[in-house]
Amino acid sequence: MAKLQGFEFWKKTLKGARFVVAPMVDQSELAWRLLSRRHGAQLCYTPMLHAQVFVRDANYRRENLYNEVCEEDRPLITQFCANDPEVFLQAALLAQDYCDAIDLNLGCPQMIAKRGHYGVFLQDEWELLEKMVRLANEKLSVPITCKIRVFEEVEKTVCYAQMLERAGCQLLTVHGRTKDQKGAMTGVANWAHIRAVRKAVSIPVFANGNIQHLSDVERCIQETGVQGVMSAEGNLHNPALFEGRSPPVWEMAEEYLEVVKQHPPCTLSYVRAHLFKLWHHTLQIHQDLREDLAKVKTLEGLAGVSHQLKLRCQEEIAKGQDGEETEGGLPFPHWICQPYVRPAPKEPVANGNSQGSEVRKTVCQKRALEDTDGTADTLSKNKQKKRSRNPNKNFCPEQKPKYIKCEQCGNPKGNKCVFNLCRGCCKKKAYKEVADCPSHGLRFKTKAEKQKAEDKRKEDERRVDERTEVLAIETKRSSSSPQPIPYPSTELQMQSKNQLPL
């Protein structure tokens, strides 16, 4: 069967999906996807997966995709971050049987993406991206899609989108923010860029950004002309966003915990993070339970804290505090599912001497490096804990040891490694060459020799046992066989004849 493309792929395989749950690292796992689908989501993405790790680690594949196969969880798109065409293709080939399309992440703006050189930090390397998308489009049995961020210039954004379309991208998700719009500087997504891209390409386009309510979804579709709208933050705070409802938080929390129990295993940190998002506004008030939610170590413990939050909210409702005066200017009472809007950074005034300018400088300025003596007042809480465990630990950057890099992967090598490699590369080399590396505790050669000696000992014992068994059989035969009756000799016969009477 020929691979579906463009609008045909969107209409038939994705069933004309308009309401889309975004790929979110450690947040769009199976249980959350199923919850979102129950409340209006028509298409979901997996969390962003690292292509290189996906290729080399079978446990990573099993934990992040293979164990999450569920008939209810379709249509589904698997997203990868990658910067190598061959590695991306290998990962996609391993995943294509478990999803309906493969998505290339070109929109992640976080520091980890910068260090790993993927996500939005590839958006200027058009030749590489074209090769990655083209190769995947030619070799995969499912369509290839892309998720991008915009440039400052509309024209460059349009050319970027057209390049990906020519390479073989069958569906494009456009996040209407630039690479620098993140964290405190997130700001508002630019729908004008998305509208320009939609008019310039002939493949389906999804919009991402500024989605907090169902009304935002409808308005975005009208203003941009896109085929669907993707939500991340809005969905995390209100899984019923695409239903147009704002239910009580405990209703969504209890249903989510029930789905988690029905589809194990689910990493506890994922569940905790979702409950923090759902109860975000309530936890600003009941901060003692915030500490409890952070400390419990079991699923039952998380459910217990969520139940206590529910009881406290219901007590407030019983006392008549049903939202007449909402905290912090929220549109609904804090126990109602609603989006969290990041406060915009304060702009400095012209003379630069205002208090707001000083506050903004204080908030945005990075924490200064610790003093060389590393006193407790200047250390972070995490480093203070390390200092309490090891009083002699030194945090001075100048005095940190300089590690020599591994010759193959660039990670720090073992100081006494036989091959001058890191542990991972050393293990592969030692296994391949049947060699030892005492520094890393690898004894492949020793184990092989021991095994050879053991095999020789067992073979010698087997031969001895065989000889013993043969001798035993021969002895048994000789003892059990009847003795032959001797015939009289010729001389005796003659004597007996002579003695006979005549």
Side-chain angles (χ1 to χ4, degrees), residues 184 345-346 356-367:
K346 296 181 180 180
S357 173
E358 295 175 0
V359 170
R360 182 174 181 273
K361 184 176 179 181
T362 303
V363 171
C364 298
Q365 189 176 18
K366 291 183 178 180
R367 181 170 58 85

Side-chain angles (χ1 to χ4, degrees), residues 87-103:
V87 173
F88 176 54
L89 176 61
Q90 291 177 36
L93 288 170
L94 291 169
Q96 66 179 358
D97 294 335
Y98 301 87
C99 60
D100 298 293
I102 300 295
D103 187 78

Side-chain angles (χ1 to χ4, degrees), residues 246-447:
S246 294
V249 174
W250 60 79
E251 180 182 318
M252 292 291 97
E254 290 173 352
E255 187 175 355
Y256 170 64
L257 291 170
E258 187 62 33
V259 176
V260 169
K261 292 177 182 177
Q262 292 172 359
H263 297 274
C266 184
T267 306
L268 196 67
S269 61
Y270 298 0
V271 182
R272 192 194 313 274
H274 281 302
L275 293 180
F276 266 113
K277 289 284 187 181
L278 289 170
W279 287 109
H280 174 83
H281 301 295
T282 302
L283 290 172
Q284 307 305 310
I285 300 170
H286 302 285
Q287 296 193 7
D288 58 323
L289 292 180
R290 181 184 183 87
E291 295 294 325
D292 294 342
L293 189 62
K295 291 178 181 178
V296 291
K297 304 293 185 182
T298 63
L299 184 62
E300 292 73 19
L302 293 174
V305 176
S306 182
H307 184 67
Q308 292 181 54
L309 287 164
K310 172 185 175 180
L311 294 178
R312 292 196 184 183
C313 291
Q314 290 178 338
E315 288 177 6
E316 293 182 25
I317 296 173
K319 293 177 182 178
Q321 302 174 7
D322 55 355
E324 293 180 1
E325 295 182 2
T326 59
E327 293 79 1
L330 297 175
F332 304 111
H334 61 81
W335 56 79
I336 297 295
C337 287
Q338 56 194 304
Y340 165 67
V341 181
R342 293 188 184 91
K346 296 181 180 180
E347 294 294 335
V349 295
N351 58 16
N353 295 325
S354 69
Q355 183 178 358
S357 173
E358 295 175 0
V359 170
R360 182 174 181 273
K361 184 176 179 181
T362 303
V363 171
C364 298
Q365 189 176 18
K366 291 183 178 180
R367 181 170 58 85
L369 293 173
E370 289 80 14
D371 295 338
T372 53
D373 59 351
T375 59
D377 294 336
T378 61
L379 293 178
S380 65
K381 290 183 179 179
N382 190 29
K383 290 184 178 179
Q384 288 180 35
K385 290 180 182 178
K386 292 180 180 180
R387 173 64 64 81
S388 66
R389 294 193 294 266
N390 182 7
N392 298 321
K393 190 169 182 64
N394 194 321
F395 296 102
C396 178
E398 289 76 13
Q399 297 181 11
K400 286 186 177 180
K402 303 297 181 183
Y403 294 102
I404 303 174
K405 291 185 177 180
C406 169
E407 295 177 357
Q408 294 187 6
C409 68
N411 289 327
K413 81 172 188 69
N415 290 332
K416 298 180 181 180
C417 177
V418 174
F419 305 109
N420 291 322
L421 302 174
C422 67
R423 179 174 177 79
C425 297
C426 178
K427 187 174 182 180
K428 293 178 183 177
K429 188 174 181 67
Y431 176 78
K432 186 176 180 180
E433 299 184 4
V434 192
D436 287 349
C437 180
S439 172
H440 285 124
L442 302 174
R443 306 283 180 179
F444 293 108
K445 182 179 179 181
T446 304
K447 289 180 180 178

Side-chain angles (χ1 to χ4, degrees), residues 34-74:
L34 293 177
L35 176 70
S36 300
R37 291 180 191 274
R38 290 183 182 182
H39 296 282
Q42 299 166 337
L43 170 64
C44 292
Y45 285 64
T46 66
M48 182 190 73
L49 305 178
H50 197 293
Q52 192 171 35
V53 180
F54 196 85
V55 170
R56 73 166 183 254
D57 193 336
N59 290 332
Y60 184 81
R61 294 195 293 271
R62 183 172 58 253
E63 293 169 1
N64 290 279
L65 185 62
Y66 294 175
N67 279 356
E68 295 196 345
V69 176
C70 178
E71 293 182 0
E72 304 170 45
D73 189 33
R74 303 299 280 267

